[in-house]
Amino acid sequence: MMNQHAIDPFEPDEVVFYPVSKKLIIIRYIVSLPLPLVALVVLGVDVIPMQIVVWWFLICAVLFLLLWLLWIIPRQVRFMAWGRTATDLYIRSGRMFRSLTCTPFGRIQFVDVSRGPLERLFGLASVSIHTASAVADKSIPGLTPMEAAILRREFAQAAREELAGI
């Protein structure tokens, strides 16, 4: 019988995980924070006449959302990581709702590298793994462009080698 406390399904023994860049935190802030900030400005101007209780409730709700985003985004990025073995790619994310995805290289159909405007501004790129199942498609954001290019080449090569064995 196995010791259940010694086994962590999110930390496989054979995998070394590599974290994504902390610059991804800034990008996620830029994408996520404008909506609550605009809502605060609109509520502060009080465009629509409303009761003071409703107005304060809305202000508190938006402030809570803003503080929640400021707190949760760094934690999400800190737990994002990827790792690989000779035959599989592992992508880990989440602190509260943890996720570990294992994609066999033999299932990968193609690998993309992408850079949006914010990623270019902060010197980052993303690698996307595509399989026959759209649900199984995964992405590794927050990589340097050189890391992304190397990973694309390595993952595509591993996929070709694994597929050749079938």
Side-chain angles (χ1 to χ4, degrees):
M1 182 164 185
M2 292 182 167
N3 181 358
Q4 293 180 351
H5 299 290
I7 299 172
D8 184 358
F10 299 99
E11 295 288 339
D13 291 335
E14 70 277 4
V15 181
V16 175
F17 284 97
Y18 302 96
V20 300
S21 173
K22 302 297 183 232
K23 292 179 186 178
L24 188 58
I25 295 170
I26 299 168
I27 293 173
R28 294 217 167 170
Y29 277 157
I30 291 170
V31 170
S32 300
L33 295 182
L35 182 62
L37 292 174
V38 168
L40 274 177
V41 169
V42 168
L43 288 171
V45 173
D46 198 14
V47 174
I48 304 170
M50 60 181 103
Q51 291 180 339
I52 193 78
V53 174
V54 174
W55 184 78
W56 274 109
F57 174 77
L58 291 174
I59 290 283
C60 288
V62 171
L63 281 173
F64 175 79
L65 175 63
L66 185 63
L67 292 173
W68 173 258
L69 290 172
L70 288 170
W71 179 78
I72 197 72
I73 288 173
R75 281 149 189 81
Q76 287 175 332
V77 171
R78 197 173 10 240
F79 285 92
M80 295 172 74
W82 65 274
R84 69 173 288 187
T85 62
T87 58
D88 302 312
L89 169 65
Y90 291 83
I91 299 176
R92 183 179 65 191
S93 64
R95 170 70 177 172
M96 226 181 309
F97 300 98
R98 297 177 81 182
S99 171
L100 176 68
T101 304
C102 174
T103 304
F105 285 121
R107 301 283 182 185
I108 295 174
Q109 291 187 328
F110 63 97
V111 183
D112 280 339
V113 174
S114 61
R115 294 181 79 192
L118 288 176
E119 287 175 312
R120 283 193 302 273
L121 181 67
F122 288 96
L124 297 177
S126 297
V127 172
S128 297
I129 308 302
H130 300 276
T131 64
S133 169
V135 177
D137 291 355
K138 291 293 176 187
S139 180
I140 306 171
L143 301 170
T144 65
M146 189 168 76
E147 285 176 318
I150 291 169
L151 290 180
R152 182 197 52 79
R153 187 174 51 248
E154 287 179 4
F155 294 165
Q157 178 65 33
R160 278 192 296 277
E161 290 171 2
E162 287 295 312
L163 189 58
I166 294 177

